[in-house]
Amino acid sequence: MQLTRANIWYLLTHKSFLIALLIVNLLGTIYGYYWYGWQLAITEPIFYIFVPDSPTASLFFCFVLIAWIMGKSWPLMEVLALVTLVKYGLWADVMNIWTLIETGSIGWQGWMLVGSHFAMAVQAVLYMKKYVFTYWHVVIAAVWTLHNDVIDYVFGQMPMYRDLANYTSYIGYFTFWLSIACILLAIFSIRWRKYLPN
């Protein structure tokens, strides 16, 4: 069979593939919350929901996949998944590469995080044509995302990269503009989704 955009889109949206993708994301989400366990142990309960950023992003996408598998759509989860998967996928990659530059090594676990977080961002973008969220959904996602940044960098709940502790203000500035870029991406997907190739 010739590999075409239509064939690739058929594969990406096939129920069996969506189920497999759900399993992968669910396992990644569980591992992500486990990975944040040590930080949650020293976090005040009021901030719990804002600390494990990446697993919460993949959890949003799990809800999206469940809806699609059932033949439905959950627009708010779609926009939350798109914005946060791209944001935290790219953010974690930048932090790990930055750590590599600072220390000279990030080990196999660091490279695993680079690969898995890049895949998070890619999967969110691959499904842009399938999303049905509106501008109002983007507003809600923007409030969530920017509020999370405030919690992270004003109240000190950001993911901890000890080797980058001296650069917290720079990381916070970068994170804010990354959030803005991802919100603009969501707006772009509404305006141009009908032109996106299948």
Side-chain angles (χ1 to χ4, degrees):
M1 181 175 68
Q2 185 178 3
L3 193 62
T4 64
R5 285 178 176 172
N7 291 335
I8 293 172
W9 184 248
Y10 174 79
L11 172 63
L12 290 174
T13 56
H14 193 277
K15 188 173 182 178
S16 297
F17 186 84
L18 294 176
I19 291 172
L21 194 58
L22 173 61
I23 293 170
V24 170
N25 276 272
L26 188 58
L27 292 174
T29 299
I30 293 169
Y31 175 77
Y33 283 118
Y34 168 78
W35 190 86
Y36 272 98
W38 67 272
Q39 186 171 346
L40 288 170
I42 59 173
T43 299
E44 295 180 44
I46 194 173
F47 295 125
Y48 279 170
I49 193 173
F50 302 107
V51 170
D53 296 323
S54 294
T56 300
S58 58
L59 180 63
F60 290 147
F61 197 57
C62 286
F63 290 130
V64 171
L65 291 169
I66 290 169
W68 288 346
I69 290 166
M70 297 173 61
K72 303 180 183 301
S73 295
W74 196 345
L76 182 58
M77 288 296 111
E78 290 175 2
V79 69
L80 285 168
L82 173 61
V83 172
T84 59
L85 282 173
V86 175
K87 174 186 174 181
Y88 295 117
L90 296 180
W91 185 92
D93 280 354
V94 171
M95 294 306 108
N96 279 285
I97 298 302
W98 195 346
T99 300
L100 175 64
I101 294 170
E102 283 290 306
T103 67
S105 175
I106 56 175
W108 70 267
Q109 190 176 39
W111 287 112
M112 180 270 292
L113 291 172
V114 169
S116 61
H117 281 80
F118 183 73
M120 283 171 52
V122 169
Q123 71 178 355
V125 173
L126 282 177
Y127 287 97
M128 280 176 59
K129 186 174 178 63
K130 191 169 174 60
Y131 301 139
V132 296
F133 56 79
T134 67
Y135 292 114
W136 283 112
H137 297 112
V138 176
V139 170
I140 296 171
V143 170
W144 166 268
T145 303
L146 295 174
H147 179 258
N148 202 342
D149 288 347
V150 172
I151 296 297
D152 280 356
Y153 295 97
V154 175
F155 292 91
Q157 303 302 314
M158 75 290 286
M160 296 179 182
Y161 280 76
R162 292 187 179 91
D163 295 314
L164 303 179
N166 293 332
Y167 303 102
T168 300
S169 59
Y170 297 102
I171 294 171
Y173 184 77
F174 163 73
T175 303
F176 169 77
W177 284 110
L178 182 59
S179 293
I180 296 298
C182 292
I183 293 164
L184 291 175
L185 175 66
I187 295 171
F188 164 85
S189 76
I190 295 173
R191 293 178 59 86
W192 299 100
R193 64 175 55 132
K194 64 182 179 181
Y195 301 113
L196 295 173
N198 284 333

